């Protein structure tokens, strides 16, 4: 049984005990434990159930490559599923639950899937759920939805209690990996004066070397690491980041690193995770190597673990996986596990070596300890259900038809060799080469990921670079640091290392095992993919490694295939009769291991989710019942609702009062762009369809802007400020866009024209003073501007003082009422608004929102960009031919709108629509015709572009585009409403109210 | 009440650094040929400063001049007299191809004060703050909005954004300055010392 050893444990503090629960059961660990080491110390090897077959699953590894030990952690707002027990530090009061079983971990009904394993092979999804068709929606989908996934999602309305943030950092050399290679690299680069960031995904520095008893420059690896880290900490040009994983390498040296600040102390008042967004001139991946399992029958039974993981538990956490351990290997490194366990007092029954001979210092050291070494032998199968009970042996060079021996044991340490961690090298295009001797893919130094200058910007170092002995690892790390720093050669630290005999590639144990055994050889224990599944995929024609992956789901689980990919593609290669390098690997994609959504969001939640824009009058609107409407990132009042009012009632009230007396509109969001310079007039004539250069100072003109295709894209009033200056108003949504459009033309096309454009949208608050009493209220405020009808006619503007504040007054009207738009510096906008409310009280002044604005303009037949336009509408469609100058040689869109399709008389044109029964036409309603077009679509003759209930006319009104509309005045056509109901509407003029414009010209 | 107000008057927060709204500031956009002598002279007259280099701000008692683009400067001056300053500059540059515009009300100004100012800004701005002496300036973004930032003193940074997003900027800076979020990325030191 797994248990805590009495002595040792370099990472635990035995003085500090931490209580926790697992599935409600009380357990205890030490500070420094991971969840996995604490569970194993308490003899809890069984930690979950596999995805497909619900087979019992135990801890396999000690690091991020762990496929099985995924637990639900925490409660309430901090509950999180799928937490990896091997990389989660234990803390006091931790609440752990296992996943993917019902009713319990020990007795799971889902295990019935196991009985049908024969039918639930790879790719069964694509065959089984085809028929009967009705079952898709009513049976298969609901059942699969229930059973899919591993962990339980947090409750629907849970809000994450933690905070997250991001930080931008820059470095000359970024070193990812805090083992001896990374430390040597960081030291070399830092000593050369470079800015260095060194990050390590665990809480501890040193990696494998302290566990494997490496000696460096005469001291233990532990001592060497401690001294090096101290030295690095004292260097001003070095940043050390522990608990920080290199997540992804992106173009131009942009690297994401994921720092877990508070996972080991939940509830601490600090950000839980911090995402480092690093730009590094050079990145060194010193990310180590991951051990491969061996494929033998029953290699998924709890108690079968990676050999290096077993010695990690023994040395780092003083945890033994069992009392009677068998080691199975194809290489010398696994003997270190036998030796470490033996020296810790664990009974190592035997080392099963698949190679014909086991020679060299490491096997000899095992024999010295009277550990039995059995060469040329395989594990035939493992016995046991929820726990290993014994192993059967057979010759490796055979078919395993019979067992040669049986050994009682409760744990099996397996090693199929080591795979360099090449993920970060590969993310941005680094290529791999197959190392035949190591049976591993390693970075191809001739094909690194390339930066903007065609130079490689990533270097691999140490085991990540395919070096597997301590001396080579150190030398390689040192060299990488020098290389990244562009520094002269200096002596590297030296490690003592035992020579190792070569490994023998063993992709199946025994070599010629039959189907029954192969169907129990696990490749991917999380997704339940076996050797037989890959062979089936090959037989069915899924020969590309990418196809085989998806057909079988090998490597698609949360561990991203870290211990299964290489073994799987070796089986595929063998099935296809191709060499492994020809089969290749699947694509490595960031992140290296999963990162939290919180880290990706950073601070952007709640009020920081998006940058909402407020006008200078925002607070008044908020305090006075504004119903907010999003207009881009602005928030504008849709209407101001009084107590007990519906929106419709509020809008009606606002429209009526404005037309009867006096309304106020916050128009601050409209774009205001200054166009100034000797060539301003020439520029304006190109931008607008109108002739703008003839506009005189003091005057305004309504203008249209089209894109090069001739489509109408924005409209607004232009004011001539002076001989060389214009002020362009744009729609709210168009301000930034039109500013950019202007700059684009000036910078890229007409760069020699003398024009400047300045976006002044936010410099001014703008208030619409609208209604028959508008002039009176302004005069009441006191002004030096003559506001009389003759002095300030419609479409003129004046500058002066109003209520003691500097203003521009534009006599423009979107409502059709007597209307003055007042521009005042934004810092005085609220003051002016308050004065207008005060002075307007006697007239029943009423602020109105965007809906009243829309209705009033529709009553006048004024178009709205985005309603009457949709990117395919030209001004001529909307009866705006008068705004298109015939005297200009050229303007943006001129040639576009002269194309055949644009001048066709068949184009739909803007008309007014009145339903016969006074109701409101539905939004975007279509007017169908009999028959279908060549696309098989029902023919149509019109569509509604704007539709409202008009409080002024007390009936529904609409604007729409209708085939040859202006020629069909008075005709009644039908529009389609809900559920096919047809609504009759008469085609009328677009202006419904005050056609002569008497009110606006008053 | 006719006195102009800034975006978030009096706002102040003490966390890892002190965040404060910078109050009313006179700001004038100047577009033109930065190599022009009359332009440099008019700027000197108005602010007492020579033109700054690329990504620099020239700071002084009478005013400041910030480089914004190859053809754009931002003149900072007293808010109460910005109209006068602007008129004087217009007069001095009459006949030149130069555009001047008052943008004092279009922006909000914030200051971050304290040894950890660079650390806090590093959480929002993709800017390398090593070798960033007093007078260094960047046009960049702070999280999701455009911002101009400069080092106005050894332990003070000034940040300018559009007025409409002042509430967002305030929430952002105070959130990032919340105690517990110390980074220790840029060590405290005097202005001008590399890293």
């Amino acid at each position: 049984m797994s248990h805590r050893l009495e002595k040792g444990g370099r990472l635990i503090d035995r003085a500090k005990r931490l209580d926790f629960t697992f599935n409600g059961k009380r357990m205890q660990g030490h500070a420094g434990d991971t969840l996995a080491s604490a569970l194993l110390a308490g003899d809890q090897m069984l930690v979950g159930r596999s995805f497909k077959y619900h087979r019992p699953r135990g801890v396999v590894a000690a690091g991020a490559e762990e496929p099985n030990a995924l637990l639900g952690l925490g409660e309430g707002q901090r509950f999180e599923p799928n937490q990896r027990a091997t990389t989660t530090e234990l803390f006091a009061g931790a609440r752990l639950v296992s996943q993917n079983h019902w009713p319990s971990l020990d007795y799971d009904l889902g295990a019935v899937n196991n009985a049908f394993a024969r039918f639930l092979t790879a790719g069964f999804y694509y065959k089984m759920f085809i028929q009967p068709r009705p079952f898709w929606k009513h049976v298969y989908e609901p059942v699969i939805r229930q059973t899919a996934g591993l962990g339980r999602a947090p409750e629907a309305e849970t809000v994450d209690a933690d905070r997250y943030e991001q930080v931008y950092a820059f470095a000359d050399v970024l070193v990812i990996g805090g083992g001896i290679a990374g430390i040597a690299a960081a030291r070399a680069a830092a000593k050369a004066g470079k800015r260095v960031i060194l990050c390590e995904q665990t809480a501890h520095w040193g990696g494998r070397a302290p566990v494997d008893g490496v000696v460096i420059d005469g001291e233990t690896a532990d001592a060497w690491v401690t001294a090096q880290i101290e030295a690095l900490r004292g260097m001003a040009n070095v940043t050390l980041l522990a608990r920080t994983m290199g997540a992804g390498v992106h173009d131009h040296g942009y690297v994401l690193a994921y720092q877990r600040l508070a996972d080991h102390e939940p509830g601490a008042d600090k950000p839980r995770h911090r995402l480092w967004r690093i730009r590094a001139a050079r990145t060194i991946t010193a990310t180590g190597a991951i051990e491969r399992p061996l494929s033998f029958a029953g290699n998924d039974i709890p108690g079968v673990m990676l050999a290096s993981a077993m010695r990690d538990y023994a040395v780092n956490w003083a945890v033994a996986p069992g009392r009677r351990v068998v080691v199975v290997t194809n290489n010398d490194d696994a003997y270190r596990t036998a030796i470490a366990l033996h020296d810790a007092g664990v009974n190592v029954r035997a080392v099963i070596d698949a190679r014909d001979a086991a020679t060299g210092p490491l096997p000899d050291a095992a024999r010295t300890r009277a550990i039995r070494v059995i060469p040329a032998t395989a594990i035939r199968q493992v016995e046991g259900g929820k726990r290993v009970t014994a192993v059967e042996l057979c010759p490796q060079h055979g078919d395993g038809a019979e067992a040669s021996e049986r050994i009682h044991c409760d744990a099996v340490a397996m090693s199929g060799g080591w795979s360099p961690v090449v993920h970060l090298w590969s993310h941005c295009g680094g290529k791999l080469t197959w190392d035949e001797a190591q049976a591993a893919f390693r970075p191809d130094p001739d094909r690194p990921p390339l930066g903007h200058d065609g130079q490689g910007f990533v270097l691999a170092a140490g085991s990540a670079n395919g070096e597997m002995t301590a001396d080579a690892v150190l030398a390689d790390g040192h060299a990488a640091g020098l290389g990244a720093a562009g520094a002269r050669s200096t002596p590297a630290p030296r490690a003592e290392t035992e020579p190792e005999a070569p490994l023998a590639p063993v992709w199946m144990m025994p070599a010629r095992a039959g189907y029954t055994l192969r169907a129990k050889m696990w490749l991917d224990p999380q997704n339940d993919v076996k050797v037989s599944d890959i062979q089936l995929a090959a037989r069915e024609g899924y020969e590309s490694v990418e196809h085989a992956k998806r057909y079988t789901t090998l490597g698609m689980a949360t561990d991203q295939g870290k211990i299964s990919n290489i073994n799987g593609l070796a089986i595929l290669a063998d099935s296809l009769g191709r060499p492994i390098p020809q089969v290749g690997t699947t694509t490595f994609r960031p992140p290296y291991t999963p990162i939290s959504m919180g880290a990706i969001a950073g601070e952007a939640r709640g009020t920081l989710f998006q940058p909402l824009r407020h006008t200078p009058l925002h607070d008044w609107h908020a305090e006075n019942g504004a119903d907010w409407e999003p207009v881009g990132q602005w928030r504008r009042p849709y209407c101001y609702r009084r107590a007990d009012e519906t929106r419709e009632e509020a809008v009606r009230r606002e429209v009526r009062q404005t037309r009867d007396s006096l309304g106020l509109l916050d128009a601050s969001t409209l774009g205001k762009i200054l166009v100034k310079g000797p060539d301003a007039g020439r520029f304006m004539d190109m931008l607008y369809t109108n002739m703008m250069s003839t506009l005189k100072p003091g005057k305004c003109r309504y203008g249209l802007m089209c894109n090069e295709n001739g489509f109408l894209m924005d409209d607004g009033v232009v004011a001539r400020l002076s001989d060389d200056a214009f002020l362009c108003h744009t729609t709210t949504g168009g301000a930034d866009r039109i500013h950019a459009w202007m700059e684009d033309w000036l910078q890229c096309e007409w760069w020699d024209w003398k024009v400047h454009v300045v976006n002044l949208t936010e410099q001014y608050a703008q208030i619409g003073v609208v209604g028959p009493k508008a002039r009176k209220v302004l005069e009441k405020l006191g002004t030096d501007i003559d506001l009389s009808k003759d002095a300030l006619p419609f479409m003129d503007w004046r500058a002066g003082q109003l209520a003691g504040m500097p203003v521009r007054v534009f006599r423009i009207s979107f409502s059709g009422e007597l209307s003055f738009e007042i521009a005042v510096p934004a810092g005085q906008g609220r003051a002016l608004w308050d004065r207008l409310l005060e002075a307007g009280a006697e007239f029943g002044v009423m602020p109105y929102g965007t809906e009243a604005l829309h209705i009033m303009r529709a009553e006048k037949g004024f178009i709205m960009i985005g309603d009457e336009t949709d990117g395919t509408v030209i001004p001529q469609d909307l009866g705006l031919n008068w705004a298109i100058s015939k005297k200009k040689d050229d303007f943006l869109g001129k040639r576009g709108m002269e194309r055949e399709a644009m001048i066709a008389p068949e184009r739909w044109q803007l008309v007014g629509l009145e339903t016969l029964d006074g109701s409101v036409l539905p939004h975007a309603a279509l007017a169908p015709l009999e028959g279908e077009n060549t696309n098989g679509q029902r023919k149509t003759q019109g569509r509604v572009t704007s539709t409202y209930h008009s409080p002024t006319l007390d009936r529904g009104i609409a604007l729409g585009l209708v085939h040859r509309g202006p020629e069909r005045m008075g005709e009644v056509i039908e529009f389609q409403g809900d559920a096919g109901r047809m609504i009759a509407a008469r085609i009328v003029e677009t202006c419904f109210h005050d056609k002569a414009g008497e009110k606006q010209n008053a | 009440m006719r006195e102009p107000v800034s975006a978030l008057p009096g706002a102040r927060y003490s966390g890892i650094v002190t965040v404060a709204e910078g109050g009313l500031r006179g700001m004038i956009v100047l577009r033109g040929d930065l190599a022009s002598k009359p332009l440099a002279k008019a700027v000197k007259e108005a602010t007492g400063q020579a033109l700054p280099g690329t990504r620099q701000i020239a700071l002084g008692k009478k005013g400041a001049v910030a480089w914004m683009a190859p053809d754009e400067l931002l003149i900072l001056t007293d808010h109460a007299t910005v109209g006068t300053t602007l008129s004087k500059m217009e007069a001095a540059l009459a006949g030149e191809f130069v555009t001047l515009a008052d943008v004092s009300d279009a922006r909000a100004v914030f200051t971050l004060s304290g040894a950890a100012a660079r650390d806090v800004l590093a959480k929002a701005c993709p800017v390398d703050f090593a070798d960033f002496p007093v007078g260094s300036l960047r046009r960049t973004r702070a999280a999701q909005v455009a911002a101009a930032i400069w080092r106005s003193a050894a332990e003070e940074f000034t940040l300018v954004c559009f007025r409409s997003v002042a509430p967002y900027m305030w929430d952002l800076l105070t959130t990032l300055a919340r105690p517990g979020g110390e980074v220790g990325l840029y060590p405290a030191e005097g202005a001008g010392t590399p890293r």
Side-chain angles (χ1 to χ4, degrees):
Chain A
M1 302 301 121
S2 61
H3 57 281
R4 181 86 69 188
L5 297 163
E6 275 176 23
K7 283 188 291 224
R10 54 181 279 270
L11 298 182
I12 57 171
D13 180 354
R14 289 182 191 258
K16 293 204 185 102
R17 293 181 189 282
L18 303 173
D19 290 324
F20 67 101
T21 65
F22 175 70
N23 288 344
K25 178 176 80 173
R26 284 212 215 110
M27 299 181 70
Q28 209 175 59
H30 293 301
D33 265 326
T34 61
L35 302 185
S37 63
L39 287 167
L40 289 173
D43 191 22
Q44 186 65 46
M45 172 66 81
L46 179 65
V47 287
R49 294 272 175 171
S50 65
F51 179 62
K52 203 163 54 172
Y53 301 143
H54 287 246
R55 288 171 67 81
R57 287 287 172 258
V59 177
V60 169
E65 63 275 15
E66 171 62 36
N68 292 336
L70 300 176
L71 307 174
L73 179 60
E75 287 168 326
Q77 287 179 292
R78 291 207 163 85
F79 173 74
E80 203 164 8
N82 297 341
Q83 296 304 286
R84 203 170 302 106
T86 54
T87 57
T88 307
E89 297 172 64
L90 180 67
F91 51 91
R95 303 254 171 282
L96 319 179
V97 293
S98 54
Q99 305 179 147
N100 201 41
H101 48 70
W102 187 84
S104 75
L105 175 60
D106 287 317
Y107 299 103
D108 178 22
L109 272 190
V112 70
N113 287 1
N114 217 9
F116 297 104
R118 236 199 111 165
F119 304 103
L120 301 175
T121 55
F124 82 92
Y125 327 104
Y126 308 111
K127 299 165 185 156
M128 187 163 141
F129 300 119
I130 306 292
Q131 299 286 357
R133 291 292 218 243
F135 273 39
W136 289 0
K137 185 172 174 192
H138 301 287
V139 176
Y140 297 140
E141 205 218 320
V143 170
I144 291 171
R145 213 168 261 293
Q146 275 303 307
T147 58
L150 286 172
R152 173 175 69 85
E155 296 303 319
E157 296 307 316
T158 308
V159 174
D160 191 326
D162 289 305
R163 58 183 166 122
Y164 302 82
E165 59 183 33
Q166 303 182 345
V167 66
Y168 296 90
F170 297 78
D172 297 319
V173 180
L174 167 66
V175 182
I176 301 173
I180 59 176
I183 290 171
R187 217 58 234 279
K191 273 190 183 160
K194 297 298 175 187
R195 245 164 91 185
V196 175
I197 297 176
L198 172 64
C199 65
E200 160 58 36
Q201 66 183 345
T202 70
H204 315 283
W205 303 97
R208 288 223 58 76
V211 173
D212 290 349
V214 171
V215 174
I216 302 173
D217 287 341
E219 28 174 25
T220 64
D222 246 335
W224 183 85
V225 165
T226 304
Q228 293 299 308
I229 294 296
E230 271 315 296
L232 285 166
R233 225 183 273 290
M235 296 175 87
N237 55 330
V238 175
T239 302
L240 293 175
L241 299 173
R243 296 190 175 93
T244 305
M245 172 197 63
V249 170
H250 304 276
D251 281 317
H252 308 136
Y254 178 57
V255 178
L256 291 177
Y258 174 62
Q259 183 180 29
R260 297 164 54 191
L261 289 165
D263 276 342
H264 59 293
E265 32 177 0
D269 188 13
K270 53 166 91 159
R272 179 181 167 217
H273 298 150
R274 186 179 280 145
L275 190 69
W276 286 76
R277 302 171 67 161
I278 302 168
R279 186 77 65 178
R282 290 290 180 270
T283 296
I284 297 177
T285 66
T287 42
I290 291 177
E291 197 168 32
R292 290 191 293 271
L294 283 165
S295 298
F296 48 86
N299 65 345
D300 73 318
I301 293 170
V304 179
M305 299 172 64
L306 294 173
S308 60
M310 254 195 223
R311 67 177 181 270
D312 286 339
Y313 284 115
V315 174
N316 284 339
W317 294 288
V319 168
R323 302 215 178 263
R324 290 180 304 281
V325 176
V326 164
V327 178
V328 59
T329 179
N330 68 345
N331 62 74
D332 273 7
D333 181 71
Y335 285 84
R336 291 189 169 98
T337 297
I339 291 161
L341 288 175
H342 174 93
D343 290 351
V346 177
N347 180 357
V348 180
R349 304 296 312 275
V351 177
I352 316 299
D353 200 321
R355 297 171 294 178
D356 291 337
T359 58
L362 285 161
D364 285 345
R367 290 191 184 93
T368 310
R369 288 159 171 78
I371 297 170
R372 200 176 147 209
V373 174
I374 315 175
T377 301
I379 289 187
R380 179 177 180 269
Q381 68 178 348
V382 178
E383 293 178 11
K386 297 203 191 92
R387 193 61 207 247
V388 171
T389 55
V391 294
E392 284 184 351
L393 310 181
C394 65
Q396 169 58 19
H397 300 297
D399 61 5
E402 280 174 12
S404 57
E405 189 181 341
R406 195 161 169 277
I407 303 180
H408 283 282
C409 58
D410 59 358
V412 177
M414 58 179 173
S415 179
W418 290 81
S419 303
V421 174
V422 297
H423 302 58
L424 295 179
W425 170 268
S426 305
H427 282 164
C428 206
K431 300 285 181 264
L432 305 175
T433 177
W434 177 252
D435 183 332
E436 198 67 50
Q438 312 245 36
F441 281 105
R442 60 195 292 175
D444 182 350
D446 294 334
R447 293 184 297 164
L450 299 178
H452 64 287
D453 53 0
Q455 301 297 309
F457 69 93
V458 178
L459 297 83
S463 297
N465 200 20
E467 302 299 341
M468 293 301 169
T469 57
D471 54 350
V473 163
L474 260 185
D476 198 52
H478 181 81
L482 293 174
R488 285 183 312 107
S489 179
T490 57
R494 305 291 307 278
E496 291 165 26
T497 203
E498 301 110 329
E500 292 181 31
L503 64 67
V506 172
W507 306 113
M508 219 158 52
M509 233 190 200
R512 291 181 287 111
Y515 179 78
T516 318
L517 290 180
R518 281 185 278 126
K520 290 191 260 180
M521 293 180 186
W522 254 260
L523 293 167
D524 184 332
Q526 189 176 143
N527 267 0
D528 281 331
V529 180
K530 303 143 354 257
V531 165
S532 54
D533 290 324
I534 293 290
Q535 292 170 334
L536 174 68
R539 278 202 305 280
E540 296 203 353
Y542 295 93
E543 299 187 351
S544 151
V545 65
E546 298 280 9
H547 284 156
K549 168 181 173 176
R550 279 136 183 104
Y551 191 65
T552 62
T553 76
L554 174 85
M556 293 178 70
T558 68
D559 61 321
Q560 298 162 272
K562 287 185 175 62
I563 61 166
S564 57
N565 282 342
I566 304 297
N567 286 350
L569 64 90
I571 299 294
L572 181 63
D574 179 65
S575 305
L576 298 171
R578 293 187 198 144
I580 288 175
Q582 202 180 90
V583 169
T585 62
T586 54
T587 304
F588 296 92
R589 293 190 176 89
Y592 174 60
T593 65
I595 66 176
S596 66
M597 295 301 290
I600 295 169
E603 83 291 333
R605 57 194 293 192
T607 57
L608 293 176
F609 177 67
Q610 56 174 325
L612 294 185
R613 298 172 77 174
H614 293 182
T615 73
L617 310 176
H618 183 95
D619 288 345
W620 191 93
H621 304 323
E623 289 156 20
N624 286 276
D627 255 19
W628 294 108
E629 179 175 27
V631 185
Q633 285 176 327
W634 291 100
R635 290 294 176 266
R636 301 185 72 183
Y638 177 94
C639 63
Y640 300 82
R641 252 200 300 163
R642 297 185 175 165
D644 295 339
E645 255 187 344
T646 65
R647 286 184 131 197
E648 291 71 29
E649 286 164 351
V651 171
R652 208 164 297 167
R653 170 176 53 74
E654 290 169 12
V655 171
R656 288 212 179 109
Q657 182 63 7
T658 302
R659 289 215 186 281
D660 286 347
S661 178
L662 182 61
L664 289 184
L665 175 75
D666 181 358
S668 305
T669 61
L670 268 69
K672 310 162 197 76
I673 303 179
L674 173 68
V675 177
K676 189 167 182 297
D679 290 322
R682 187 181 173 201
F683 183 57
M684 293 291 289
D685 282 343
M686 284 301 282
L687 288 171
Y688 286 91
T689 62
N690 324 53
M691 184 73 87
M692 283 301 181
S693 52
T694 54
L695 184 63
K696 298 208 178 348
K699 297 276 180 202
C700 302
R701 183 167 293 165
Y702 171 70
L704 304 178
M705 263 196 208
C706 294
N707 63 21
E708 296 132 286
N709 273 310
F711 297 126
L712 183 53
M713 66 172 189
D714 210 67
D715 69 351
V717 170
V718 174
R720 186 78 183 249
L721 298 182
S722 64
D723 282 341
D724 68 345
F726 296 78
L727 186 65
C728 303
H729 291 95
T730 75
T731 61
T732 295
D736 295 329
R737 187 168 45 86
I738 297 301
H739 179 217
W741 171 252
M742 291 178 175
E743 281 288 349
D744 188 0
W745 285 102
L746 286 174
Q747 292 183 28
C748 302
E749 194 70 29
W750 307 316
W751 38 264
D752 55 342
W753 292 15
K754 287 183 153 57
V755 190
H756 292 134
V757 298
V758 182
N759 188 346
L760 294 175
T761 301
E762 301 218 17
Q763 172 64 13
Y764 305 104
Q766 197 132 323
I767 300 171
V769 182
V770 182
K773 298 288 191 275
R775 188 178 282 120
K776 283 199 160 63
V777 75
L778 291 174
E779 283 166 349
K780 212 174 146 184
L781 287 182
T783 175
D784 61 353
I785 304 171
D786 186 346
L787 299 168
S788 65
K789 181 177 172 180
D790 295 324
L792 180 52
F794 181 61
M795 295 305 273
D796 266 33
W797 72 270
R798 299 285 177 268
Q801 295 280 312
L802 179 69
M805 294 177 245
V807 298
R808 280 196 191 108
V809 178
F810 301 90
R811 231 199 105 179
I812 56 184
S813 179
F814 198 38
S815 56
E817 295 303 320
L818 173 64
S819 165
F820 300 82
E821 277 195 23
I822 321 287
V824 66
Q828 297 170 82
R830 176 65 191 266
L832 181 59
W833 179 266
D834 288 346
R835 292 285 294 115
L836 283 163
L837 287 170
E838 198 180 58
E842 72 169 279
F843 308 113
V845 66
M846 200 172 283
Y848 65 90
T850 55
E851 188 64 358
L853 166 86
H854 288 164
I855 290 176
M856 286 195 282
R857 66 91 196 173
E859 289 172 343
K860 292 292 295 180
F862 296 148
I863 63 149
M864 195 83 188
I865 297 292
D867 287 333
E868 278 63 55
T869 69
D870 66 355
T872 71
V873 171
I874 58 174
Q876 294 86 329
D877 298 336
L878 305 177
L880 294 171
N881 305 52
W882 59 264
I884 304 171
S885 168
K886 294 174 191 42
K887 293 197 192 123
K888 295 198 289 190
D889 285 336
D890 198 11
F891 59 87
L892 293 171
K894 181 180 204 285
R895 293 191 60 195
M897 61 179 73
E898 287 169 3
R899 288 177 291 179
E900 198 182 305
M902 306 298 193
I903 57 176
E906 299 304 305
R907 288 182 73 83
W908 293 6
Q909 308 230 302
L910 191 69
V911 292
L913 295 161
E914 283 183 347
T915 55
L916 298 188
D917 65 1
S919 64
V920 177
L921 280 170
H923 279 286
L926 289 164
L929 288 171
E930 290 303 317
E932 292 179 351
N933 62 18
T934 49
N935 292 335
Q937 300 158 320
R938 181 77 182 272
K939 284 187 185 168
T940 51
Q941 61 173 333
R943 62 184 171 88
V944 171
T945 57
S946 298
T947 173
Y948 308 93
H949 176 87
S950 160
T952 308
L953 301 152
D954 204 14
R955 50 159 301 117
I957 58 167
L959 297 171
L961 290 162
V962 175
H963 179 234
R964 292 181 178 270
E967 299 167 32
R968 299 164 68 182
M969 285 294 141
E971 190 180 324
V972 174
I973 61 175
E974 288 197 315
F975 284 84
Q976 189 171 71
D978 295 329
R981 177 177 66 98
M982 299 306 287
I983 309 163
R986 179 170 292 111
I987 297 174
V988 296
E989 285 180 11
T990 54
C991 182
F992 296 91
H993 173 68
D994 185 23
K995 287 192 182 32
E998 283 169 13
K999 302 196 83 188
Q1000 107 191 339
N1001 293 336
Chain B
M1 187 189 59
R2 291 192 200 124
E3 289 307 313
V5 293
S6 60
L8 294 171
R12 193 177 176 79
Y13 170 78
S14 283
I16 303 176
V17 296
T18 300
V19 185
E21 200 250 28
L24 293 168
R25 307 249 179 146
M27 286 183 261
I28 299 170
V29 158
L30 190 158
R31 297 284 299 277
D33 179 1
L34 300 191
S36 145
K37 285 199 171 51
L39 187 149
K41 185 155 177 262
V43 169
K44 185 88 192 247
E45 264 297 306
T47 64
Q49 298 294 323
L51 293 200
T54 300
R55 301 193 302 173
Q56 303 275 319
I57 179 169
L59 296 159
K61 281 199 178 49
K62 197 176 159 198
V65 185
W67 180 97
M68 286 284 155
D71 67 346
E72 183 178 339
L73 299 171
L74 181 68
I75 314 286
L76 290 114
T77 178
D78 184 38
H79 186 269
T81 53
V82 68
T84 323
T85 307
L86 195 151
S87 305
K88 281 198 189 136
M89 291 186 77
E90 266 176 346
L93 292 166
E96 302 285 323
F97 175 43
V98 168
T99 299
L100 291 151
D102 181 356
V103 292
S104 311
D105 286 47
R107 282 86 181 285
V109 181
F110 296 91
T111 57
L112 286 91
S113 310
R118 293 185 293 172
D119 278 357
V120 171
L121 285 171
K123 297 186 193 182
C125 306
V127 171
D128 189 355
F129 288 109
D131 196 17
F132 201 90
V134 173
S136 303
L137 175 145
R138 296 287 183 274
R139 291 183 72 178
T140 179
R141 63 177 171 84
Q144 300 185 59
V145 293
I149 53 174
W150 63 84
R151 192 169 193 173
S152 34
E155 287 195 351
E156 183 192 81
F157 278 76
T158 304
L159 183 151
V160 177
C161 66
F162 281 115
R163 191 194 192 99
S164 63
V165 293
Y168 170 86
M169 185 62 78
W170 177 254
D171 282 346
L172 176 71
L173 295 175
T174 54
T175 298
L176 299 180
R178 205 171 123 190
E182 291 81 357
V183 186
L185 179 59
Y186 293 100
E189 36 83 342
T193 313
R195 187 111 206 316

